[in-house]
Amino acid sequence: MIDVKNISKTFKSHSTEVKALVNVTAKVDKGEVVVVLGPSGSGKSTFIRCLNYLNVADEGSIVIDGIDILDPKTDINKVRAEVGMVFQSFNLFPHKTVLENVILAPIVVRKKSKEEAKKKGMELLEKVGILDKADVYPDQLSGGQQQRVAIARALAMEPKVMLFDEPTSALDPEMVGEVLDVMKNLAREGMTMVVVSHEMGFAREVADRVIFMDDGAVVEVGTPEHFFTNPTHERTKLFLSQIL
Amino acid sequence: MGSSLTHKGLKHDNIYYFWVVVFFIIMTGIVLAIYFSALQIDYTWRWYRIPRYFAYQEQIETKSEIDGEVQSISKKGKDAVVLVKGLEGTESYAVRASALRVEEGDQIYYGDPLASYKKWRVGILLEGLWLTLKVSVIAIIFGIAIGLFAGLARISSNPALKWSAITYIEMIRGSPLLVQIFIWYFVLGTLFNNILANHGISQISALWFGVAALASFTGAYVAEMVRAGIQSIHRGQTEAARSLGMTYVKSMRHVILPQALRRILPPLAGQFISLIKDSSLLGIIAVRELTKATREVVTTSLQPFELWFVCALLYLVLTFSLSMLLQYLERRQLVV
């Protein structure tokens, strides 16, 4: 489903150069849940943002569902429509109601009729447990509710892959659970997911594979069992000792 | 909340009412000062002469063109036909039945009115007010369109678009509107109309060059507001829209611009109010808007004091209505 080969990314400003990704190679199969772990600044957010072209990799290749997204001839909007993204800061559209947030892209991108989009939108809101808030504006919702709306908004495009960029990092602790529950349900239904997260419990319980990154490079890849109980690299051991 | 804090202890005090009275004394003082100064130069106030410049009744008469006698009057609903029999023949006049001034058998001489009625006409001040409103509305609409386009071009990464926008904005904002009106009318206007004349196409009137000057002037300021408005919207909004597969145009249209326009509504209102007032400059290229109309009436009526106050009041009505309208829009969006 996702095939990343040797991508690198360097952020340049006037005086400094930051190597965010160095020769990263990774693979995500259909129906697989991959959790990307790593300390802050390890490049995991840059990695997931490269997957739908919000950051552009300098070199290497990224193939999603058979389409090379770094090829200049690729219509990136078509690829993005198939790849859902959930952000750390929700990024809901504040001038639209919850339901309008969910149905906007299906109507303007997929050209669905309003009735059809609404029907599907209501189903999704029910699925993430905020059907009763369909007609309120995002600023009246709690962080956890907003993030669940953001998930519903991404799902409304019926994506083949879902990318989660630290979906629970901006939430108050008591709201983390409700968002993770939605994500677990999604994983159970067989959605292909790439999740950048600090939630070790989620990684352990849901992930098929864990990718550990540090300093812009992939250090270790393995099943959660292997990763949490028997890591090979020193850097991984240090990381786990710091957070567990 | 802020005002109740600053006026704490002042609101229900006698001191508060004292300053209210002071306010009214100042206002009355200014009015009286003008009035008594006018007396010093023997100015006669004639307010009763003012309404006729808004609307007046015109006498419309049908006159006989021969001497003779009214032979017959045949009425048919609202219309009537008067037959006048003279020495050299008979003349017939179609008039309004209600306006008839003669009866059958009346002796008529040349030039006598057979029928007369009064008709309301729009006065020159009202015509001027209408033209000011028309010019302003058209210039605002074009100003928004130009500003939106130039604002988007200003933040584009394409150097042709970006530098064109910067050049346009800096040139407009760096020169007086009066000079720009002269350039539009005397330079561009001459060029356009000569080219049109060479191709046998009818000329463009001064009004449209005036509108163009105001619209391009406003557009430059609107462009800077649009740019600031768009840049004030968090980057995450664009990313969310684009990650859903929206193109640049769609994300602008549905996500960024609606939020940006909401934020820049207050400064836009100020700009449009300025535009209404600046339209008074168009008189210099012979567009008879409100100020030019007032100047013309002043030269014929010789009542400058009343007329200039009325003129200012009419502008106030326009600008105040516009600011009320935009405040209403702003409030409605806050609730939404």
Side-chain angles (χ1 to χ4, degrees), chain B residues 3 38 77 142:
Chain B
S3 66
F142 280 106

Side-chain angles (χ1 to χ4, degrees), chain A residues 66-129:
Chain A
I67 302 167
D68 180 359
I69 68 165
L70 294 178
D71 184 346
K73 278 173 284 194
T74 301
D75 178 2
I76 191 62
N77 296 313
K78 280 201 178 125
V79 180
R80 279 171 172 162
E82 307 293 338
V83 179
M85 177 111 182
V86 175
F87 299 88
Q88 182 178 351
S89 50
F90 329 133
N91 297 345
L92 292 179
F93 307 136
H95 61 301
K96 293 191 176 289
T97 64
V98 164
L99 183 61
E100 285 167 352
N101 261 276
V102 174
I103 64 176
L104 177 65
I107 290 172
V108 305
V109 179
R110 291 260 194 255
K111 310 284 179 207
K112 277 194 184 176
S113 74
K114 202 168 180 188
E115 289 70 36
E116 200 186 341
K118 266 188 179 169
K119 192 165 156 279
K120 174 82 183 165
M122 293 305 260
E123 279 170 23
L124 286 168
L125 288 179
E126 192 173 9
K127 188 172 172 181
V128 299

Side-chain angles (χ1 to χ4, degrees), chain A residues 86-193:
Chain A
V86 175
F87 299 88
Q88 182 178 351
S89 50
F90 329 133
N91 297 345
L92 292 179
F93 307 136
H95 61 301
K96 293 191 176 289
T97 64
V98 164
L99 183 61
E100 285 167 352
N101 261 276
V102 174
I103 64 176
L104 177 65
I107 290 172
V108 305
V109 179
R110 291 260 194 255
K111 310 284 179 207
K112 277 194 184 176
S113 74
K114 202 168 180 188
E115 289 70 36
E116 200 186 341
K118 266 188 179 169
K119 192 165 156 279
K120 174 82 183 165
M122 293 305 260
E123 279 170 23
L124 286 168
L125 288 179
E126 192 173 9
K127 188 172 172 181
V128 299
I130 27 181
L131 192 56
D132 54 327
K133 304 280 186 190
D135 294 321
V136 307
Y137 285 84
D139 60 1
Q140 289 161 281
L141 299 180
S142 72
Q145 290 171 326
Q146 290 195 41
Q147 194 60 298
R148 285 186 280 150
V149 175
I151 294 173
R153 178 177 69 177
L155 289 175
M157 292 295 287
E158 295 168 349
K160 292 174 179 155
V161 189
M162 284 286 283
L163 308 176
F164 293 84
D165 187 6
E166 305 204 22
T168 56
S169 300
L171 296 177
D172 291 336
E174 74 269 21
M175 290 167 185
V176 169
E178 62 192 60
V179 172
L180 290 181
D181 284 344
V182 170
M183 291 167 64
K184 283 175 196 166
N185 281 335
L186 212 52
R188 230 168 274 143
E189 287 168 15
M191 174 63 78
T192 310
M193 290 162 66

Side-chain angles (χ1 to χ4, degrees), chain A residues 49 52 54 77 80-81 83 85 87 91-96 104-105 108-109 111 137 153-154 157, chain B residues 234-248 250 254-256 258-259 262 335-336:
Chain A
R49 288 166 60 84
N52 74 349
L54 287 178
N77 296 313
R80 279 171 172 162
V83 179
M85 177 111 182
F87 299 88
N91 297 345
L92 292 179
F93 307 136
H95 61 301
K96 293 191 176 289
L104 177 65
V108 305
V109 179
K111 310 284 179 207
Y137 285 84
R153 178 177 69 177
M157 292 295 287
Chain B
H234 192 263
R235 198 171 48 113
Q237 291 291 311
T238 311
E239 289 185 349
R242 299 302 302 272
S243 78
L244 288 164
M246 287 186 216
T247 58
Y248 172 80
K250 280 176 182 160
H254 296 285
V255 177
I256 306 301
Q259 296 183 57
R262 224 166 261 205
V335 177
V336 161

